């Protein structure tokens, strides 16, 4: 039986839908479903999209087709998709905004739809210029919110004591050190296998789009993982996840987020403290210490340097804040 799309939104622990299941879950006519299956298969195999990306795209497109069923008064097919106008797309985005979607989520929704229509055009199935010309909402320019060095250290130190059992505290400590000490995404840390240990002086990481990169591994990170494995009560084979939960199954992103939320509350830290904030902290602290921007780009696995350059804005803002607080003439 096909699983609902929501079942794959669990941080990568659950496999993505198959192309057949993905197409069947979308209310569309038979010709449109065949095209949807090809699009989803293209994302999964040729684009090598992550499970989370597949889930987001599938959810956005499903919501769009559900809207079209009501908006057009029938199940949409390829002819209806080709004849859609800008006003139809605006009506959908307005509905999603009224349902509570923020500008960033609306922009992602539009990106998902354009991915579908771009594929349909390149495959010679149909062309819809109004959809492809549609502009997304303006997004507020927000900067990453890294932790201070002291707060990052306190968070890691607190993890050992916050665990219900010693091995869980050691596990959470090891994860936090990998996020902050190596700049890993949470999904990258949780994708590590037991067979990857013992670690060498570098770590091969598979990031977004299945792109591999090599990151240096601090001795403190290797020691933290070794400590966790020495205490872990579960017998793990080489193919098992390195980080496991209470019953020995793969640890999910939601559990890590909950652990960090608990640590944040224990330490009285702001709600901007998240797993990804530790990755931001890694980049920001390296840059503040004189790290080369190109090198930081490679360590983070960013495809474009412009993505990494946002950390220069964070550092500039930090220096301005220091100036405003400390310089005699800045006080009035």
């Amino acid at each position: 039986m096909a699983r609902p799309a929501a079942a794959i939104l669990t941080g990568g622990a659950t496999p993505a839908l198959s192309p057949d299941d993905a197409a069947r879950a979308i209310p569309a006519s038979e010709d449109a479903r065949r095209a949807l299956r090809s699009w989803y298969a293209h994302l999964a195999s040729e684009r090598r999209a992550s499970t989370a990306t597949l889930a987001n795209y599938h959810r956005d497109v499903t919501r769009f087709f559900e809207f079209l069923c009501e908006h057009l008064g029938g199940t949409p097919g390829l002819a209806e998709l080709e004849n859609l106008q800008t006003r139809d797309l605006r009506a959908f985005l307005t509905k999603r905004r009224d349902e509570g979607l923020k500008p960033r989520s609306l922009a992602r929704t539009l990106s998902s739809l354009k991915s579908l229509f771009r594929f349909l055009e390149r495959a010679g199935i149909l062309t819809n210029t109004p959809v492809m010309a549609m502009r997304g909402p303006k997004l507020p320019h927000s900067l990453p919110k890294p932790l201070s060095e002291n707060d990052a250290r306190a968070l890691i130190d607190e993890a050992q004591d916050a665990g219900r059992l010693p091995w869980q505290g050691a596990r959470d400590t090891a994860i936090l050190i990998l996020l902050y000490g190596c700049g890993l995404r949470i999904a990258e840390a949780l994708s590590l296998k037991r067979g990857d240990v013992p670690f060498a002086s570098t770590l091969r990481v598979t990031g977004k789009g299945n792109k591999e990169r090599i990151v240096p591994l601090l001795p403190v990170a290797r020691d933290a993982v070794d400590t966790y494995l020495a205490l872990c009560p579960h017998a793990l084979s080489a193919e098992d996840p390195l980080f496991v939960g209470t019953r020995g199954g793969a640890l999910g992103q939601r559990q890590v987020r909950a652990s960090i939320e608990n640590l944040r509350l224990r330490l009285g830290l702001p709600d901007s403290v998240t797993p990804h904030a530790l990755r931001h902290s890694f980049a920001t602290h390296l840059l503040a210490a004189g790290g080369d921007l190109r090198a930081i780009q490679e360590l983070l696995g960013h495809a474009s340097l412009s993505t990494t350059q946002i950390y220069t804005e964070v550092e500039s803002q930090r220096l301005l804040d220091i100036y405003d607080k400390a310089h005699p003439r800045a006080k009035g």
Side-chain angles (χ1 to χ4, degrees):
M1 183 175 69
R3 292 179 293 109
I8 62 178
L9 301 176
T10 56
T14 305
L17 293 170
S18 70
D20 287 332
D21 286 345
R24 277 196 292 267
I26 299 175
S29 67
E30 191 56 37
D31 62 344
R33 277 188 175 163
R34 286 195 296 268
L36 287 164
R37 184 198 181 284
S38 298
W39 165 71
Y40 190 88
H42 166 75
L43 291 177
S45 58
E46 296 182 37
R47 293 289 301 276
R48 303 175 74 181
S50 68
T51 299
T53 298
L54 289 171
N56 287 333
Y57 275 33
H58 186 265
R59 181 182 58 232
D60 293 336
V61 169
T62 300
R63 295 290 178 271
F64 182 56
F65 273 77
E66 290 171 348
F67 164 80
L68 290 180
C69 287
E70 180 179 350
H71 182 66
L72 301 176
T75 304
L78 292 179
E80 286 73 24
L81 295 181
E82 190 165 28
N83 291 325
L84 289 175
Q85 300 298 313
T86 303
R87 61 178 177 271
D88 300 313
L89 204 56
R90 283 179 179 158
F92 170 64
L93 294 176
T94 298
K95 183 175 187 294
R96 295 296 283 148
R97 184 189 61 203
D98 293 344
E99 291 171 347
L101 253 65
K102 302 299 181 185
R104 197 168 300 279
S105 296
L106 288 172
R108 191 210 63 226
T109 296
L110 182 59
S111 177
S112 300
L113 297 181
K114 286 188 175 182
S115 166
L116 170 61
F117 280 88
R118 188 180 300 112
F119 170 81
L120 296 176
E121 181 174 351
R122 290 176 177 174
I125 298 173
L126 63 85
T127 298
N128 187 306
T129 302
V131 170
M132 295 307 298
M134 183 76 178
R135 292 186 177 182
K138 290 185 178 180
L139 299 179
H141 183 66
S142 58
L143 295 178
K145 296 179 180 178
L147 286 73
S148 69
E149 292 183 29
N150 288 336
D151 285 346
R153 188 178 297 112
L155 197 75
I156 293 171
D157 291 343
E158 186 72 15
Q160 181 60 63
D161 295 332
R164 288 183 298 170
L165 297 171
W167 76 270
Q168 293 173 328
R171 176 200 64 197
D172 294 347
T173 299
I175 293 172
L176 295 183
I177 291 177
L178 287 172
L179 299 181
Y180 176 57
C182 302
L184 300 191
R185 299 178 178 92
I186 182 174
E188 294 168 348
L190 296 183
S191 70
L192 294 171
K193 302 292 186 183
R194 173 63 180 88
D196 295 328
V197 182
F199 290 136
S201 58
T202 59
L203 181 63
R204 185 181 297 274
V205 179
T206 301
K208 288 185 176 180
N210 278 351
K211 294 180 180 178
E212 287 191 348
R213 69 183 190 279
I214 304 295
V215 297
L217 195 65
L218 300 172
V220 66
R222 293 199 299 270
D223 293 344
V225 171
D226 289 343
T227 299
Y228 152 64
L229 286 176
L231 295 173
C232 182
H234 302 289
L236 304 177
S237 69
E239 292 304 312
D240 284 334
L242 173 60
F243 297 111
V244 296
T246 304
R247 298 181 181 179
L251 190 68
Q253 290 190 26
R254 189 172 300 171
Q255 294 164 280
V256 177
R257 296 183 196 281
S259 295
I260 291 182
E261 174 73 2
N262 177 49
L263 293 172
R264 180 186 74 77
L265 294 174
R266 287 168 65 109
L267 295 169
L269 298 177
D271 57 11
S272 60
V273 175
T274 63
H276 209 66
L278 288 168
R279 176 172 155 91
H280 290 324
S281 305
F282 165 82
T284 305
H285 297 168
L286 279 182
L287 188 63
D292 177 73
L293 196 62
R294 285 283 185 186
I296 295 173
Q297 176 194 358
E298 292 182 14
L299 292 172
L300 292 173
H302 286 162
S304 170
L305 184 63
S306 61
T307 307
T308 316
Q309 284 175 331
I310 194 169
Y311 294 108
T312 64
E313 296 186 48
V314 174
E315 178 61 10
S316 297
Q317 186 60 53
R318 186 186 71 86
L319 293 175
L320 286 173
D321 291 342
I322 293 174
Y323 177 87
D324 288 341
K325 292 177 182 178
H327 197 284
R329 298 304 296 270
K331 298 180 179 179

